[in-house]
Amino acid sequence: MKVLKFGGTSVGSAERMKKLVEIIQLGEQKLVVLSAMSGTTDRLVEINEAAKNGKTEEARKLISQLEERHLQTVNELYEDKYTITLAKHFISEIIELLQSEISSYKPSVSEKIILAQGEILSTTLFQFLLEERKINSCLLSALDFMKIDNNAEPENDFIRKNLTELLEKKKGFQIYITQGFICTNDKNEIDNLGRGGSDYTASLIGGALVSEEIQIWTDIDGMHNNDPRIIENTQPIRYLSYDEAAELAYFGAKILHPSTVRPAKLAKVPV
């Protein structure tokens, strides 16, 4: 099984989601890790900041804007009226949860619950699209297998055991969808792997399953021999060792989260 990770730009609009369906149907069985829709996590951060500072009305307006954007995506994404109704109902449930969290805001707990909703929204809406198109797929909740300890380090044995068991229970699907970024912690509360953590999720999954390979899909064609934002006519580097890739990421190559390559390296899975 291959593990594919797609960032927010890949699920940033209805058209991009439709293109994503075409990509993931190619070839063998795969597990697909999705980020939140482009801009959604930033909006959720703004909602958190407003709620934390007692600006409840501002937070509610931001939530309404988030709802409006996702409802617009729904209208453009699906053809079947039943799927549209199902998706809108799901969005309303998430919006109610967000409104509830800002009404009784608990800084540490509420913040992480709110931040998690972007990936939950994107993966569920994408799974509805696959179901509408009758594609053999299954949505796995990352909260059922992705866990960190009290030092915010991944519990690799837990991840391996629970993900393997979950896939065994849900065997027979061609495509599995799950959330990047989000996890539970040692208190069994919703938590996350930090910004850029969807790359890390893909690597942890790929390492746990000793996958054929991990693919990080983005709008850039790879790591370059210099910073293309500053230097003209840079060239992508075709092959890198794990250590070279990690070092480049650590020193600012934003194409890859700095932590991503370590689980892949330990399991000897190519990225």
Side-chain angles (χ1 to χ4, degrees):
M1 182 187 293
K2 291 185 179 180
V3 177
L4 280 62
K5 178 264 175 178
F6 293 87
T9 55
S10 300
V11 286
S13 66
E15 286 307 310
R16 291 194 176 218
M17 281 198 190
K18 291 174 184 177
K19 182 65 177 176
L20 184 52
V21 173
E22 296 175 19
I23 294 170
I24 67 172
Q25 284 189 90
L26 301 174
E28 61 290 293
Q29 188 183 51
K30 52 185 68 72
L31 196 157
V32 178
V33 178
L34 296 183
S35 298
M37 287 177 59
S38 181
T40 298
T41 302
D42 289 336
R43 182 53 47 86
L44 293 171
V45 169
E46 292 173 1
I47 291 167
N48 263 314
E49 285 301 311
K52 192 185 300 181
N53 294 315
K55 300 177 180 178
T56 306
E57 284 309 308
E58 181 181 331
R60 292 194 189 284
K61 287 179 182 177
L62 291 167
I63 291 171
S64 294
Q65 291 170 12
L66 188 73
E67 179 181 26
E68 185 178 332
R69 186 196 173 189
H70 281 80
L71 288 175
Q72 180 182 348
T73 299
V74 164
N75 289 328
E76 297 170 353
L77 189 59
Y78 309 114
E79 298 178 4
D80 184 72
K81 288 183 179 179
Y82 172 77
T83 309
I84 293 171
T85 302
L86 191 66
K88 288 183 175 180
H89 178 70
F90 176 73
I91 290 171
S92 71
E93 289 181 342
I94 298 296
I95 297 303
E96 285 178 19
L97 184 150
L98 292 174
Q99 298 284 13
S100 174
E101 287 299 325
I102 66 166
S103 295
S104 54
Y105 193 80
K106 304 177 190 69
S108 178
V109 176
S110 295
E111 178 180 8
K112 289 168 182 174
I113 291 172
I114 289 171
L115 286 177
Q117 301 315 307
E119 278 72 18
I120 291 171
L121 276 164
S122 65
T123 51
T124 304
L125 295 180
F126 189 67
Q127 176 61 22
F128 287 160
L129 178 62
L130 296 176
E131 289 174 0
E132 181 183 71
R133 297 192 177 189
K134 295 180 170 48
I135 294 169
N136 185 27
S137 63
C138 176
L139 176 60
L140 306 177
S141 173
L143 302 178
D144 289 337
F145 62 86
M146 192 61 63
K147 194 177 185 71
I148 55 175
D149 61 22
N150 58 357
N151 293 314
E153 292 294 332
E155 293 195 14
N156 292 302
D157 290 341
F158 180 96
I159 294 168
R160 184 181 303 106
K161 177 178 181 295
N162 285 270
L163 178 55
T164 302
E165 289 178 355
L166 192 56
L167 288 170
E168 181 61 26
K169 288 178 185 175
K170 305 278 188 179
K171 63 183 177 182
F173 292 95
Q174 181 67 16
I175 297 167
Y176 294 91
I177 307 295
T178 196
Q179 301 88 14
F181 179 63
I182 67 174
C183 60
T184 58
N185 58 30
D186 61 310
K187 299 175 184 176
N188 290 320
E189 298 168 340
I190 292 178
D191 213 313
N192 62 68
L193 299 171
R195 294 302 291 267
S198 291
D199 289 355
Y200 199 15
T201 300
S203 187
L204 288 166
I205 289 172
L209 299 177
V210 193
S211 300
E212 181 182 346
E213 68 179 20
I214 299 161
Q215 298 179 3
I216 309 294
W217 285 69
T218 181
D219 54 355
I220 300 170
D221 61 353
M223 286 191 170
H224 282 230
N225 59 353
N226 217 312
D227 189 339
R229 296 168 299 182
I230 300 170
I231 307 298
E232 293 184 2
N233 302 318
T234 61
Q235 298 296 321
I237 304 168
R238 290 184 59 81
Y239 300 101
L240 286 168
S241 71
Y242 294 112
D243 290 340
E244 287 169 332
E247 186 171 358
L248 282 169
Y250 181 80
F251 284 106
K254 293 184 179 181
I255 188 172
L256 196 63
H257 188 271
S259 301
T260 294
V261 294
R262 187 169 184 273
K265 177 183 178 181
L266 292 174
K268 298 181 180 178
V269 178
V271 179

